[in-house]
Structure formats: C-alpha cells, structure tokens
Amino acid sequence: MKGLFLTIEGLDGAGKTTQVKLLQEWFRKQGYDPLFTREPGGTRAGDAIRNLLLNREYTGLVPVAEALLYAASRAQLVAEVIRPALARGRLVVCDRFVDSSIAYQAYGRGLPRAFVEEINRQATGGLKPRLTILLDLEPDLREERLRGQGRQAWDRLEAETGDFYTRVREGYLALARENRDRIKVIPARQSIEEVHRQVLEHITKIL
Ligand code: TYD
C-alpha cells in the first residue's frame, strides 16, 4: 500500500476518541496495519510538551507560547514518526493536526491566522493530510456531553468559558469550506454507529 495520511479533527467532546477506537478495530479486521498517533504528543519530547500544555499547573501560557508549543510537538512528530512511516508506504492516522492549531490558536485564541499557518508550515514542511474527518459538534451539546463524563472533563470545560468553542467551531467550518476536497464534515450529534458508518464511507473511497 502507498503511504497515506489521514487526520481526525473536532471539538473536545465530539467523540473523536470513540471513533478512533472503532476505526482501529475496523482496520485490524480488514487486515490493514495503520499507524495511529495523536497530538500533542506521540514522541518523547512531544509527550513532555503535551504535559506542559494540558497540565493545569502551567495555566497562564500566553497564546503565542501555546501556539509555538503545539507547533514544536508537531514538528517532532512529523520528523520522527509521520514522515518515516509514510516513506515506508504506511497508512498513518493522526488524532488532530494543523487544522487544530488554526481552529484553536487562530480562531479560538485570536492569533493572526497567517502566523499560525507559517509556524505550522515550518513545523510540517508543508505536509498535508490526504483526508481529514471533521466531527462537527455544536458547543452547547459539547458541554452537555462533558458534564456527563465526570470531574476530569468538567475541569477542562470550566477552564474555557464564553465563546471560545463557538469560535473554534467556526474556524473548523471555515477550513472545511476552503478545503472541500480534503475535509469531510460529519455531524457528531448522530449515533456513534452512524458517525462510524460515515467515517468509513469517506475512508474507503481513498483506500
Ligand atoms: P486532548 O486531551 O488530546 O483532547 P481531545 O481528546 O479532545 O483531542 O487535548 C488536546 C487539547 O489541545 C484539546 O483541547 C485541543 C487542544 N489543541 C490545540 O489547542 N491546538 C492544537 O494544535 C492541538 C493539536 C490541540
């Protein structure tokens, strides 16, 4: 099989983790052996950066520092993991990629989009996914879901208030409009099975 790069995007709470698990099982049953990885993290340095970004001890990172750290983790992941795997002809599935930074750091935090795009161009060497699945969720549904998941999710929910997630979602939808061939939007409020079915529909087309 030729090297193929897929990414999965969406607001926290959109069900990405569940869909990634279902996808892993499906690939295994089909006899494919894709490499699954996630952002931030996926390398030793990347995991350290992930801890810095998601640990509540370090709240108060300014948006530009946050954006550079996500890009740093991504640069390491692309160089150490994604590019070598693609060069060996593997299928690579990444949970979040550059679109997350455009949506969260540019649209969510309000950094200039051109800046976020440029640091990510440097970080990835311009690597683009062949297909991106965007699990689209309305921010109020997101709150409901996370509240149902208990304390840890609720902590993260409390950490961001106001229109942050509305802006992040708008960012994702703007990216989808600009990249109709690459980004496929799936409404995440549907049942898990239906979302999975639609994910497979898009993926099987490019395998
Ligand atoms: P994670 O625990 O992986 O959340 P999820 O399971 O929802 O993917 O945490 C990732 C968090 O980091 C999530 O809130 C989105 C955010 N993020 C950015 O803000 N920018 C980025 O470039 C990436 C990759 C993630």
Side-chain angles (χ1 to χ4, degrees):
M1 196 203 312
K2 240 174 68 235
L4 194 60
F5 183 34
L6 313 181
T7 61
I8 304 186
E9 296 280 355
L11 294 191
D12 340 15
K16 251 178 340 86
T17 311
T18 307
Q19 291 301 327
V20 167
K21 271 196 205 121
L22 289 174
L23 199 54
Q24 270 173 319
E25 280 167 29
W26 182 83
F27 273 123
R28 193 155 26 83
K29 281 196 203 127
Q30 300 295 309
Y32 289 101
D33 179 30
L35 179 78
F36 277 84
T37 186
R38 71 163 183 191
E39 287 209 331
T43 62
R44 258 177 75 84
D47 287 339
I49 295 171
R50 179 187 178 84
N51 185 39
L52 212 160
L53 280 164
L54 303 183
N55 191 326
R56 302 194 104 227
E57 251 180 68
Y58 307 114
T59 47
L61 273 178
V62 291
V64 64
E66 190 189 61
L68 289 165
L69 285 168
Y70 280 114
S73 167
R74 184 165 298 131
Q76 210 59 35
L77 184 68
V78 167
E80 271 185 45
V81 177
I82 299 179
R83 279 199 190 274
L86 291 174
R88 289 195 304 273
R90 285 193 73 180
L91 171 61
V92 178
V93 183
C94 193
D95 184 344
R96 298 191 181 280
F97 198 59
V98 175
D99 297 317
S100 278
S101 280
I102 311 282
Y104 283 80
Q105 277 64 58
Y107 284 82
R109 300 272 185 237
L111 288 175
R113 182 169 160 177
F115 167 72
V116 178
E117 283 174 344
E118 181 53 24
I119 57 176
N120 279 285
R121 224 182 338 266
Q122 298 299 329
T124 63
L127 177 67
K128 287 228 163 59
R130 166 73 177 77
L131 172 72
T132 297
I133 300 288
L134 171 57
L135 301 180
D136 178 46
L137 189 71
E138 295 81 354
D140 46 334
L141 258 172
R142 177 191 160 272
E143 275 195 36
E144 253 172 58
R145 283 195 182 180
L146 290 185
R147 206 172 283 133
Q149 285 171 17
R151 192 62 214 171
Q152 201 196 342
W154 181 239
D155 277 348
R156 279 225 311 263
L157 172 67
E158 283 176 320
E160 281 313 329
T161 54
D163 298 331
F164 179 75
Y165 287 101
T166 303
R167 292 196 302 274
V168 173
R169 178 179 185 230
E170 274 165 17
Y172 271 135
L173 293 178
L175 283 165
R177 281 193 300 274
E178 294 163 19
N179 298 274
R180 286 186 197 281
D181 287 343
R182 173 173 68 87
I183 303 181
K184 304 298 176 190
V185 183
I186 299 179
R189 88 183 85 75
Q190 308 172 101
S191 71
I192 290 173
E193 296 74 23
E194 179 55 22
V195 173
H196 179 55
R197 195 190 64 73
Q198 293 181 18
V199 169
L200 291 184
E201 210 171 80
H202 291 302
I203 288 181
T204 47
K205 274 187 201 147
I206 59 152
L207 285 179

